[in-house]
Amino acid sequence: MNTRLSLLAAACVLALAACGNDTTPADNATPAATPSDTAPADTTPTDTAAGTPATTPTTPGSDAGTSATPAATPAGSDKPAATVDNCSTVIEGNDAMQFNVGSITVPSSCSEFTITLNHTGQMPVVAMGHNVVVSKASDREAIAAAGMGAGVDGDYVPADDARVIAHTELVGGGGTTSVTFPVSAIQGSGPYEFFCSFPGHWAVMRGSIQVG
Ligand SMILES: [Cu+2]
């Protein structure tokens, strides 16, 4: 009898254990399902987040395009237009790696145009040198890449490069430089840009230049 009771007890234990085991996987299944539910939940906010910033830049971009010429939108559209006087303009570069203008409109009545750059900062040319290079917008990146080989002594401008329409010297803080070029050089199929070819600067120190 004792043996049978023991067996019965053992059977009960096994049954309970079996029941317990059945319960445990069921519990495991539930949390397993929760992460699955969470994953799609994560995907949804991601899509929403991606859609939101995409919409946001579009609005300021459209505003910039409305307030300025369409050519100003891709480069320097957040900066004011340069003041032009007597077929020339004076622009500034600073120690914060910025030009003070985002676009230059050259009067069509000018046969030549002069850009003067004042470096209003204090940093040396090797650390924060600025120049002004004029080219087609589509040539900017390639000119800057080739200009790295010219080094600071070569103004970071590739020598004898037909893509370079005009360029000033590279100057450090307190320096001034200028360049004069024929307006006909920027009357072809642009758009054209002015930029600083110092390594890294060309990505942000740039603006549009057009004949208006
Ligand atoms: Cu620069």
Side-chain angles (χ1 to χ4, degrees):
M1 289 295 284
N2 285 340
T3 303
R4 287 180 181 239
L5 284 173
S6 296
L7 287 173
L8 282 172
C12 285
V13 169
L14 286 172
L16 286 171
C19 284
N21 285 342
D22 284 347
T23 305
T24 305
D27 287 346
N28 286 345
T30 305
T34 305
S36 297
D37 290 343
T38 306
D42 284 347
T43 304
T44 306
T46 302
D47 290 343
T48 306
T52 305
T55 305
T56 307
T58 302
T59 306
S62 299
D63 291 344
T66 305
S67 60
T69 63
T73 304
S77 55
D78 58 330
K79 298 274 194 350
T83 300
V84 172
D85 189 30
N86 278 340
C87 298
S88 66
T89 189
V90 180
I91 70 174
E92 296 177 354
N94 62 20
D95 282 346
M97 209 172 82
Q98 290 181 326
F99 285 135
N100 68 329
V101 299
S103 70
I104 300 173
T105 299
V106 177
S108 58
S109 57
C110 299
S111 58
E112 290 189 323
F113 192 76
T114 300
I115 300 175
T116 297
L117 169 66
N118 287 337
H119 192 320
T120 59
Q122 298 181 325
M123 294 176 70
V125 67
V126 293
M128 188 54 71
H130 298 317
N131 62 10
V132 175
V133 178
V134 177
S135 76
K136 283 191 178 182
S138 56
D139 290 334
R140 174 176 51 90
E141 194 165 346
I143 290 171
M148 286 187 70
V152 66
D153 291 336
D155 297 321
Y156 288 119
V157 176
D160 302 322
D161 191 318
R163 296 171 298 186
V164 177
I165 293 170
H167 75 93
T168 70
E169 295 180 329
L170 193 71
V171 294
T176 295
T177 181
S178 67
V179 64
T180 299
F181 57 93
V183 172
S184 60
I186 56 170
Q187 284 180 308
S189 58
Y192 298 92
E193 286 188 357
F194 66 94
F195 64 95
C196 172
S197 66
F198 191 98
H201 293 197
W202 55 270
V204 291
M205 292 186 74
R206 62 193 181 102
S208 65
I209 182 167
Q210 54 279 317
V211 178

